[in-house]
Amino acid sequence: MTLSLFDQFLSPVVCWIPLVAIAITLPWILFPSPTTRWLNNRSLTSQNWFLSQATSQIFLPINPPGHKWALLLSSLLIFLATMNTAGLLPYTFTPTSQLSINMGLAGALWMGVVILGMRTQPTHSLGHLLPEGAPALLTPILVIIETISLFIRPIALGVRLTANLTAGHLLIQLTSTATLAMLTIMPVTAIFTGILLFLLALLEAAVALIQAYVFVLLLSLYLQENV
Amino acid sequence: MLSRLQAISVKVTDPFVSLSLVQASRSLQTSSQRLAPVPPLPDHGGKVRHGLIPEELFEFLYPKTGVTGPYMLGTGLIVYLLSKELYVINHETIYAICIGTIIVYGVKKYGATVAAFIDSINEEKVAKAQAAKDSHISFLTEAIENEKKEQWRVEGRGMLFDAKRNNVAMLLETNYRERQHMVTNEVKRRLDYQIALQHLNRRLQQEHMINWVEKNVISSITPQQEKESIAKCIADLKVLAKTTQAKAAA
């Protein structure tokens, strides 16, 4: 079956059965749950090590009340990283390339931290609307700008992830289409395009992990402000 | 792969799924059915060839088709899919070749390093426990040696007591001798005093008697006697002088 450029972004359906649920639960299937054994096999040991390192790194600058978010943010990191990297394989559907999923995650979590901040320490949270050390004359303008930037955060979070992944996948599609098309006509150019595709794939692998980390890092920063 | 099914039947936490799996694969399970102690995990996972295909497939096909059987099966399958256009070569194929190269290269180059690192995490755990155990054992061994030394010291306690006893006995003896010596000295002193007193008494008596006798004698000498004695003395002296002169002349 011939694939058009945007077929990879369609929600996967087989005989009208939506497979998006399987795509989203993929990370849960891939990671073994911890056992009661003292020494585990390599996959479990590496998973535990990575999780403990990542969580301690992310939560180092956050006050103790914010450590309740550790489970949420660390599982979010694994979720996003796995979905991003699984989407690098051919013929896969990447749920995080859909705006619906990313906006759902970003909007809900951002709103959570803001409401938490506003309820527990409203003065402190509202104080973030005026950065420290700003001259007194600029106060009205600064508050407006900071309010706008506050409300743009969920959109930025969601769209950043979506745009990065969609753009990457699209570029890969385009480059590989170009390579295939030129393979019979101009093989040398096809080879160069192939090298470009190779580098692009490497970049996409990096972007997949970095974007997941950035998402979680920004959320932890918003949490740090508000908790 | 089939050995992993046994492992899964232990690992899956949902009771319904795990029970049904256990029941379904009961004919395949070869280890004894025990709950405790927990059977140890196998050291290595199921063997795979080319990183993907389990070894069981090759062993399954070996009797009928020999060594090249599975490879012929794989090649034939791929050629069939391609020729019947069940799998269409499109842009994703090129990308699949690309990402496949990257993944294989990554695993081949960094696989061993990552595995060694993960093994080192486990080994550090074991080493820590071993170090704790070793330190405790060495502490206890030292305690045993100290105890043995103390026991040896206790044996010498008798000698120590004997020496002390001797010491004390010597002190007592010395003290006794000293006191005896002192007693002797004191007694001698008192006796000497008495002797000196007696000597003094005797001397005084003697002197007194001599004085009395002399006084009496002197007082008894009459003047007549005195003259006679003096004349006799002079006469004697004259005789003596004559004899002397005679001796001198001779």
Side-chain angles (χ1 to χ4, degrees):
Chain A
M1 51 169 258
T2 49
L3 299 167
S4 78
L5 272 169
F6 290 95
D7 274 349
Q8 62 175 325
F9 299 120
L10 292 175
S11 184
V13 176
V14 161
C15 303
W16 285 282
I17 304 169
L19 299 176
V20 68
I22 301 175
I24 291 178
T25 54
L26 183 72
W28 174 68
I29 297 167
L30 283 178
F31 290 95
S33 51
T35 59
T36 49
R37 294 174 184 269
W38 181 51
L39 289 175
N40 294 310
N41 56 6
R42 280 178 186 161
S43 50
L44 202 55
T45 312
S46 64
Q47 176 189 308
N48 285 343
W49 172 82
F50 173 72
L51 258 179
S52 62
Q53 289 285 316
T55 318
S56 62
Q57 278 297 309
I58 292 174
F59 281 88
L60 213 52
I62 300 181
N63 300 330
H67 291 186
K68 289 181 211 148
W69 288 65
L71 180 61
L72 181 62
L73 290 181
S74 52
S75 58
L76 185 67
L77 176 68
I78 299 287
F79 182 62
L80 292 174
T82 312
M83 283 204 293
N84 290 349
T85 41
L88 287 173
L89 298 167
Y91 299 105
T92 50
F93 167 69
T94 323
T96 44
S97 65
Q98 304 299 312
L99 198 61
S100 49
I101 291 180
N102 293 341
M103 284 307 293
L105 285 170
L109 291 168
W110 165 84
M111 204 182 295
V113 287
V114 167
I115 290 175
L116 180 73
M118 289 294 175
R119 281 194 63 147
T120 52
Q121 32 180 13
T123 325
H124 183 78
S125 297
L126 284 171
H128 277 294
L129 291 177
L130 186 66
E132 278 181 36
L137 275 176
L138 291 173
T139 312
I141 308 165
L142 265 177
V143 170
I144 293 170
I145 292 172
E146 287 287 330
T147 316
I148 295 171
S149 86
L150 177 73
F151 281 98
I152 259 212
R153 275 176 184 177
I155 306 169
L157 265 178
V159 172
R160 178 186 301 108
L161 189 56
T162 313
N164 266 296
L165 264 82
T166 315
H169 283 266
L170 217 49
L171 262 175
I172 285 173
Q173 293 274 359
L174 285 168
T175 325
S176 46
T177 313
T179 315
L180 183 66
M182 286 194 287
L183 206 55
T184 45
I185 310 167
M186 297 184 281
V188 179
T189 324
I191 290 171
F192 283 124
T193 326
I195 293 170
L196 178 67
L197 178 62
F198 186 75
L199 295 170
L200 203 60
L202 279 171
L203 176 72
E204 276 310 302
V207 162
L209 295 168
I210 290 168
Q211 283 305 317
Y213 176 64
V214 159
F215 194 95
V216 172
L217 187 69
L218 282 170
L219 271 174
S220 78
L221 273 165
Y222 303 154
L223 182 66
Q224 200 183 330
E225 277 183 4
N226 284 308
V227 85
Chain B
M1 184 191 82
L2 297 173
S3 59
R4 269 173 249 152
L5 193 60
Q6 300 176 25
I8 288 170
S9 68
V10 180
K11 272 181 351 182
V12 170
T13 50
D14 175 23
F16 176 68
V17 174
S18 68
L19 279 172
S20 54
L21 266 178
V22 164
Q23 291 306 318
S25 64
R26 196 169 274 276
S27 56
L28 298 167
Q29 289 175 359
T30 49
S31 64
S32 56
Q33 305 287 321
R34 286 194 323 259
L35 281 174
V38 176
L41 284 173
D43 277 333
H44 302 283
K47 288 193 74 59
V48 281
R49 215 187 273 207
H50 307 296
L52 279 175
I53 307 156
E55 193 66 35
E56 279 90 347
L57 178 70
F58 291 82
E59 278 157 32
F60 177 67
L61 290 174
Y62 181 77
K64 294 285 177 177
T65 55
V67 177
T68 52
Y71 296 103
M72 288 310 299
L73 175 66
T75 318
L77 199 63
I78 291 169
V79 167
Y80 163 70
L81 289 173
L82 284 171
S83 69
K84 287 257 183 186
E85 295 256 324
L86 288 166
Y87 175 72
V88 178
I89 294 188
N90 47 24
H91 57 275
E92 290 267 19
T93 316
I94 311 286
Y95 174 65
I97 294 167
C98 233
I99 199 81
T101 317
I102 290 175
I103 290 173
V104 166
Y105 175 73
V107 168
K108 275 206 167 13
K109 184 150 187 221
Y110 299 109
T113 326
V114 170
F117 171 71
I118 296 169
D119 283 339
S120 78
I121 294 175
N122 270 354
E123 265 153 42
E124 260 174 42
K125 247 186 176 178
V126 170
K128 264 197 210 161
Q130 185 71 26
K133 183 175 149 189
D134 283 343
S135 79
H136 200 62
I137 286 176
S138 72
F139 168 73
L140 287 173
T141 318
E142 229 180 270
I144 289 172
E145 275 176 31
N146 283 347
E147 179 63 32
K148 285 211 172 94
K149 208 166 168 194
E150 289 300 313
Q151 283 178 357
W152 169 79
R153 279 199 189 135
V154 162
E155 281 168 28
R157 202 177 50 175
M159 279 198 284
L160 183 70
F161 289 163
D162 280 342
K164 282 198 172 170
R165 214 177 285 131
N166 281 346
N167 219 9
V168 167
M170 265 202 304
L171 278 175
L172 286 175
E173 183 77 28
T174 316
N175 199 12
Y176 175 69
R177 294 263 168 93
E178 260 180 25
R179 280 168 43 208
Q180 214 177 38
H181 191 67
M182 201 176 71
V183 160
T184 319
N185 279 352
E186 286 294 306
V187 165
K188 199 156 96 90
R189 248 186 45 195
R190 280 167 181 55
L191 289 177
D192 281 344
Y193 171 73
Q194 293 300 325
I195 290 169
L197 206 63
Q198 279 181 4
H199 281 322
L200 184 70
N201 260 345
R202 182 70 60 77
R203 211 181 61 224
L204 280 176
Q205 282 173 358
Q206 265 185 349
E207 275 179 17
H208 186 261
M209 197 170 294
I210 288 168
N211 284 345
W212 185 78
V213 165
E214 274 183 8
K215 204 172 74 184
N216 275 350
V217 162
I218 288 168
S219 66
S220 75
I221 296 175
T222 55
Q224 177 66 33
Q225 268 185 330
E226 204 176 335
K227 272 186 196 164
E228 278 180 16
S229 66
I230 288 171
K232 181 123 194 313
C233 288
I234 293 169
D236 280 337
L237 274 172
K238 280 182 184 167
V239 170
L240 217 65
K242 281 183 184 167
T243 52
T244 315
Q245 274 179 355
K247 273 190 191 161

